[in-house]
Amino acid sequence: MTHSKYSALELTSLLLICRLARFFCCDTPYSAAFARGIFVTGILQAALLLPIFLRKQPWVTPRITRWLVRGFALLLGAEAAADIYRFLCDADAPHPALTLMLLLLTVLYVVSLPRPAIYHAAVFILVAAAIAFLLLPLGGLSSARLVSLWTQSTETHGFLQEWALSAELALIPMLCEAQPQAGKRAAVAWIAVRSILLPLVVLFGTMQCGRLQAWRNNPFLLLLARVPFSDALRTDGLWLMLAIACGLLAVAFLMGCFCGGDLRTAPHMRFAGFLPLIALTILFIMRNCNEILLGSMSLGLTLLQWVCPRSIPPRKEQQ
Amino acid sequence: MKRLFAILCGCSTILLTGCTDIRSRRYADILAVTSGKEYSASLRCDGEETWYTAAAAAPKLLPTALENELGAQLSMGHLGLLMLQGDTLEPLTALLDDGQLVPTCPVLLCPKTSQVERFVDSNLAAQLQRSMETGLLPRRTVGDVYGDLRSAARITLLPCLVEDALTLAVSDGAQTLAILSEDACRGAALLCGRWDHFAFVEMRGASPETIRLKSCKCKLHMEQKGERLVLSVELSPEVESGDAELARTAVCRMLRAYFQEAVTDCAADACFLEETALRCGISIPDTAAWRALLRDAEIQVTAH
């Protein structure tokens, strides 16, 4: 993977968009326990990445691990596609399956574009999401109830969910290998934003949602319905577009990771046409996949990359 | 080639966004669900005067039955009022879990659905809305009621019609346990705190005086003394017009009436008492024990 042209902001945007896409589509009810789970997971993941941050020599991932991580990126892409499908169904969108297939074809087109396009789009979408998240509490502060934070829920479930939803953790060592400085900064920003801002949004959602913690299986749609604000910021407006755009970019980025960086020059280009089909096939397999499997896979792969480099000498081109 | 492909994808996606589907949908304005041996539903669509009625063996099948009656796809995303008669929990669970109902839709317990048309002619939805804005009744939506019926106490408050007057009923989802007095209704509205202007008339000697509140902060604290719960409520009413002392006495009376009629008589928990207990470090036992604790609770209301 060669990422030398891209800044830390662009890499951060893509990593955050992967997390945001899954945040919009996740079906875990908002609760204080879930917010705590996100925070604790962020701390643990930061500790896990500490060896990479502190290492001064170039980070080298063995070939077999790299292939495993690429395969995992494909799985994550399929899971993100499944999430978009579920989100479309939850939002009562017409023809969700056909729309998803067309969106996946669009992903293929996006992946085949010059790489800066994806990175620039990611920054743009992230800025739009940041503005939308800033506007969200403005309309709902008066209707938020602090006492809702004590609504009963289990912490373990939120913790495990967060491991699964932030599975792009496994890609960070590879990003740090390709682009050490920008990769490290992006990883730090990814952890900081996730561990601080997402729990705040979840807490705000909890205060809005009261005892009914999810609706149509999606707590974010419930939060949007509860916030008294203009229709433009409701499900049929900006948020729906934003969620789908985040999902598309996340799938495109993860597919790009699977193809080893640049799809146009990758030796696996001949597979490109089948990517949406592969994704769709895996999508249906993944529907039965629970958070423990995804969470443990991301943890395992990160640990594998953490352990392996010490026994393998750095490659010539990186010395 | 790539551009053509992109344009084709884009156009197809836009075509699939469902503009035609959305135009052919019918939007429900008022829905009345009656439960008995079988469930029946009466529906009025937005901008129409006609009522459509359908029956089904289970509440989950009601939307399909109504769609068959309408001959079009039905959307309840903009439902203005849900009227229920009899069983509350079953239809709410079925329609909400199915994604048919929006959690922000106002709900009303109705004595006889055969009179639905008469109630609607008297602009019931607007009347209910006004009552909620003026603090006559608390704001109760589908989401609030469903959340209460799933909480530890499993008893909720529902706006209801009694002899053409709007009041508040205590319900466990299957039957009505009590009808609250006007003072208790206002007490519940004070605790819920989502009113726009809270105005009421109090008698000062022989002459009536209108009191208008600007805001009213309620602080709840709970502690367990032996086997008994002690719930202290501190009220801080800010008076916009009228006598402040009279206002303090009145809000204390309203809140005491609410706690007496809803909490200690019926064990209703519609104002986050369960969460308050958890905040104060009191563990919640099972439903029966929590109801018993609420019934036996000692309530202390003070106003500053």
Side-chain angles (χ1 to χ4, degrees):
Chain A
M1 288 170 77
T2 50
H3 295 273
S4 54
K5 280 185 277 182
Y6 309 113
S7 66
L9 175 68
E10 288 167 335
L11 285 177
T12 310
S13 305
L14 272 171
L15 282 174
L16 280 174
I17 273 174
C18 287
R19 181 65 192 91
L20 269 185
R22 306 204 66 197
F23 178 75
F24 289 135
C25 306
C26 106
D27 58 0
T28 308
Y30 290 167
S31 63
F34 185 34
R36 272 198 300 272
I38 295 177
F39 182 72
V40 172
T41 309
I43 301 292
L44 287 178
Q45 288 180 342
L48 201 64
L49 290 174
L50 210 58
I52 298 176
F53 295 154
L54 297 177
R55 194 183 165 100
K56 286 179 181 168
Q57 290 166 339
W59 188 263
V60 183
T61 314
R63 184 180 289 267
I64 180 75
T65 316
R66 200 175 302 160
W67 273 108
L68 281 174
V69 174
R70 281 182 185 177
F72 185 62
L74 182 67
L75 281 177
L76 283 184
E79 180 67 8
D83 281 349
I84 301 175
Y85 175 72
R86 210 166 44 216
F87 182 77
L88 288 170
C89 292
D90 289 343
D92 212 9
H95 316 299
L98 278 173
T99 309
L100 179 72
M101 287 185 79
L102 277 168
L103 288 176
L104 287 177
L105 288 175
T106 316
V107 165
L108 184 62
Y109 175 70
V110 170
V111 176
S112 71
L113 284 173
R115 288 183 61 77
I118 302 178
Y119 285 82
H120 294 337
V123 175
F124 176 77
I125 297 287
L126 192 70
V127 170
I131 294 169
F133 272 117
L134 282 175
L135 289 175
L136 189 65
L138 290 182
L141 274 179
S142 58
S143 56
R145 285 177 174 279
L146 200 65
V147 75
S148 301
L149 294 180
W150 278 270
T151 306
Q152 291 198 38
S153 55
T154 55
E155 195 152 357
T156 326
H157 183 64
F159 177 74
L160 290 174
Q161 272 281 353
E162 182 55 22
W163 269 106
L165 294 173
S166 58
E168 59 273 14
L169 165 80
L171 306 177
I172 289 177
M174 238 164 66
L175 286 177
C176 289
E177 179 191 357
Q179 206 176 330
Q181 286 309 314
K184 281 177 189 173
R185 283 182 196 157
V188 170
W190 177 73
I191 283 178
V193 173
R194 261 192 47 227
S195 315
I196 297 165
L197 290 187
L198 280 193
L200 287 179
V201 178
V202 171
L203 287 178
F204 176 70
T206 312
M207 288 193 280
Q208 286 292 334
C209 298
R211 283 172 174 170
L212 180 70
Q213 294 183 334
W215 169 59
R216 287 179 172 175
N217 300 323
N218 188 319
F220 193 72
L221 290 179
L222 176 64
L223 170 62
L224 293 181
R226 290 274 194 176
V227 173
F229 210 52
S230 73
D231 280 347
L233 284 177
R234 291 257 176 109
T235 48
D236 50 354
L238 174 76
W239 286 106
L240 195 63
M241 301 276 286
L242 201 59
I244 291 174
C246 284
L248 276 181
L249 272 176
V251 176
F253 171 63
L254 293 165
M255 292 297 170
C257 285
F258 167 67
C259 297
D262 195 337
L263 185 68
R264 292 170 308 156
T265 56
H268 324 290
M269 181 61 191
R270 60 182 178 275
F271 291 124
F274 296 105
L275 279 179
L277 288 177
I278 295 170
L280 271 178
T281 312
I282 296 170
L283 183 154
F284 289 108
I285 299 168
M286 295 293 287
R287 289 195 77 169
N288 296 320
C289 176
N290 61 19
E291 68 269 10
I292 296 173
L293 181 59
L294 265 187
S296 52
M297 276 174 84
S298 78
L299 175 66
L301 285 171
T302 316
L303 282 175
L304 196 64
Q305 292 171 86
W306 183 73
V307 172
C308 288
R310 287 155 209 281
S311 57
I312 293 171
R315 286 182 302 180
K316 269 185 181 176
E317 61 267 30
Q318 287 182 334
Q319 279 176 330
Chain B
M1 186 63 192
K2 269 185 188 171
R3 279 185 187 172
L4 185 68
F5 173 67
I7 290 166
L8 268 176
C9 273
C11 291
S12 312
T13 314
I14 290 166
L15 284 174
L16 282 170
T17 50
C19 296
T20 49
D21 291 46
I22 288 167
R23 268 202 297 272
S24 62
R25 273 182 197 172
R26 305 287 290 276
Y27 292 90
D29 181 26
I30 298 176
L31 175 72
V33 179
T34 313
S35 46
K37 281 183 184 172
E38 65 171 6
Y39 290 86
S40 73
S42 300
L43 174 97
R44 198 184 74 171
C45 288
D46 203 12
E48 290 180 28
E49 291 299 319
T50 321
W51 283 84
Y52 300 90
T53 306
K60 200 175 181 177
L61 304 172
L62 280 174
T64 317
L66 283 167
E67 280 180 350
N68 291 339
E69 187 68 25
L70 282 166
Q73 200 188 354
L74 176 67
S75 167
M76 291 199 261
H78 302 278
L79 194 66
L81 182 64
L82 172 71
M83 297 165 88
L84 295 167
Q85 197 238 335
D87 189 5
T88 316
L89 185 60
E90 276 286 317
L92 268 188
T93 309
L95 295 173
L96 204 60
D97 287 351
D98 209 27
Q100 298 282 348
L101 279 179
V102 279
T104 46
C105 170
V107 62
L108 182 73
L109 203 60
C110 192
K112 287 176 190 171
T113 39
S114 56
Q115 295 177 325
V116 162
E117 291 86 344
R118 184 171 66 82
F119 291 139
V120 173
D121 285 343
S122 61
N123 211 354
L124 192 62
Q127 203 182 326
L128 184 65
Q129 183 64 24
R130 250 194 325 275
S131 302
M132 289 170 175
E133 283 169 1
T134 53
L136 203 65
L137 292 176
R139 280 186 199 276
R140 305 296 294 162
T141 59
V142 164
D144 297 330
V145 171
Y146 184 76
D148 288 348
L149 292 174
R150 293 281 175 197
S151 69
R154 296 173 192 273
I155 295 178
T156 189
L157 298 178
L158 276 162
C160 85
L161 266 175
V162 178
E163 293 167 2
D164 289 4
L166 284 169
T167 180
L168 215 51
V170 182
S171 167
D172 64 355
Q175 57 181 338
T176 303
L177 304 175
I179 300 290
L180 300 190
S181 65
E182 192 187 327
D183 268 355
C185 292
R186 282 199 173 275
L190 267 178
L191 263 184
C192 285
R194 286 188 280 174
W195 34 266
D196 294 335
H197 46 275
F198 198 98
F200 55 96
V201 177
E202 279 289 295
M203 293 302 285
R204 176 189 277 275
S207 58
E209 184 173 336
T210 304
I211 296 168
R212 188 182 283 265
L213 296 186
K214 200 175 176 183
S215 67
C216 184
K217 284 181 188 164
C218 299
K219 272 188 192 173
L220 269 76
H221 182 76
M222 213 179 264
E223 58 181 319
Q224 197 160 12
K225 286 184 180 170
E227 294 293 303
R228 206 164 185 212
L229 272 184
V230 179
L231 176 64
S232 338
V233 189
E234 276 182 39
L235 292 167
S236 312
E238 200 178 333
V239 180
E240 195 178 319
S241 65
D243 185 70
E245 189 54 44
L246 202 61
R248 274 197 288 273
T249 315
V251 292
C252 280
R253 189 191 67 233
M254 287 167 187
L255 223 52
R256 278 196 199 101
Y258 167 71
F259 279 112
Q260 175 67 45
E261 293 175 32
V263 180
T264 53
D265 286 358
C266 304
D269 177 6
C271 296
F272 297 100
L273 294 182
E274 182 190 339
E275 287 77 5
T276 308
L278 290 170
R279 192 187 66 195
C280 298
I282 298 165
S283 60
I284 305 290
D286 56 16
T287 300
W290 178 237
R291 283 182 184 176
L293 273 175
L294 288 176
R295 282 202 181 96
D296 200 33
E298 183 188 328
I299 314 288
Q300 298 167 349
V301 182
T302 50
H304 304 292

